[in-house]
Amino acid sequence: MPGRKIIITGVPGVGKTTVINESILRLKEEGVDFQSISFGSFMFEMAVSKGLVKDRDDMRKLSRDEQKHLQQLAAAAIGKINGDVIIDTHASVKTPKGYLAGLPEWVLRELKPDVFVIVETDEDQILLRRLSDMTRVRDVDGFRALSEHQEFNRAIAAAYAMVTGCTVKIIKNPDHLLDKAVSDMVNLLR
Ligand code: AP5
């Protein structure tokens, strides 16, 4: 049975995975079950099996064609998953050659999203979160670069809405207000 497909995006380090995990726990307490799927993990498993990368943070430095091929494989596999699903991914990926659309037309066709969420917060908070996360090799962008990336993500989300008819919801995840971000997400999903 096809269920609801909710796509959740945000620049790296904004905290979308944190918001998703907390929201799923809270929804479970209410008897609402959502499966969380990391698009990046599907791509990473495929990239490792092809010997392309050893670290997930190296994927955005692969050639455009390699990234597009991995996207296609991940989208085809995720599109087959039934039930209510949250897909944790990126509206756009910052590559050395410019922004790569995270959900080009052939990916949207597989995923068929109902709602497209952008998680945002202030740029200085994103930078500090990136710097304090020792588990990842995140880009060290300044205020302007982060601001440009967040703006680009809003613009490309509008294009995704045009293609699919999905709605676009912006959820703020500021420091010390994770609980509010989770409540907003839970209200959207229940
Ligand atoms: P992926 O692995 O999906 O990235 P990710 O795990 O989602 O990590 P992010 O870097 O986006 O971080 P996050 O925003 O989830 O923050 P987190 O919750 O960890 O992607 C990996 C790669 O896959 C990409 O680089 C790309 O190459 C590829 N990829 C994925 N989708 C793709 C696509 N569609 N097309 C092409 N390539 C794709 O939180 C960060 C920190 O903030 C934590 O320390 C947390 O504790 C803290 N924090 C969170 N919320 C708050 C708060 N309210 N207050 C204070 N601290 C907070």
Side-chain angles (χ1 to χ4, degrees):
M1 270 269 298
R4 283 183 294 162
K5 295 268 192 305
I6 317 295
I7 294 197
I8 309 211
T9 67
V11 297
V14 74
K16 65 189 155 42
T17 306
T18 306
V19 175
I20 291 170
N21 292 343
E22 289 292 318
S23 302
I24 284 185
L25 285 178
R26 213 185 283 175
L27 283 164
K28 215 177 191 65
E29 288 166 11
E30 297 181 12
V32 180
D33 267 328
F34 263 95
Q35 191 181 346
S36 168
I37 288 163
S38 164
F39 196 99
S41 296
F42 270 74
M43 283 181 62
F44 182 54
E45 270 175 35
M46 285 157 188
V48 169
S49 71
K50 290 174 184 295
L52 293 173
V53 292
K54 292 203 172 103
D55 186 311
R56 64 197 287 129
D57 285 306
D58 287 335
M59 287 194 293
R60 59 183 177 270
K61 288 157 195 143
L62 291 171
S63 75
R64 191 184 59 150
D65 285 344
E66 284 168 328
Q67 292 186 64
K68 281 167 68 179
H69 183 55
L70 293 170
Q71 272 180 332
Q72 271 165 334
L73 295 175
I78 293 170
K80 291 195 182 77
I81 297 172
N82 292 323
D84 290 337
V85 172
I86 290 175
I87 301 160
D88 179 347
T89 186
H90 292 276
S92 68
V93 178
K94 194 170 178 182
T95 80
K97 296 206 169 156
Y99 294 115
L100 178 85
L103 298 126
E105 187 268 334
W106 59 87
V107 172
L108 289 174
R109 213 183 313 131
E110 297 283 358
L111 301 185
K112 300 183 194 69
D114 298 286
V115 182
F116 191 94
V117 179
I118 310 175
V119 180
E120 294 182 348
T121 193
D122 292 348
E123 288 75 9
D124 54 344
Q125 297 179 355
I126 296 168
L127 182 56
L128 274 179
R129 288 177 199 176
R130 284 188 186 180
L131 290 173
S132 42
D133 187 352
M134 296 301 161
T135 65
R136 301 288 299 265
V137 186
R138 299 186 192 269
D139 295 338
V140 182
D141 289 326
F143 176 92
R144 285 211 180 124
L146 285 167
S147 177
E148 178 188 277
H149 197 179
Q150 293 207 105
E151 276 172 31
F152 186 82
N153 282 346
R154 281 192 182 203
I156 204 163
Y160 298 151
M162 288 289 290
V163 172
T164 63
C166 67
T167 53
V168 176
K169 174 81 176 167
I170 295 170
I171 290 186
K172 298 287 183 187
N173 179 35
D175 282 354
H176 316 298
L177 288 172
L178 176 63
D179 209 45
K180 167 82 169 63
V182 172
S183 294
D184 290 346
M185 188 76 83
V186 166
N187 286 337
L188 182 73
L189 299 178
R190 69 156 67 94

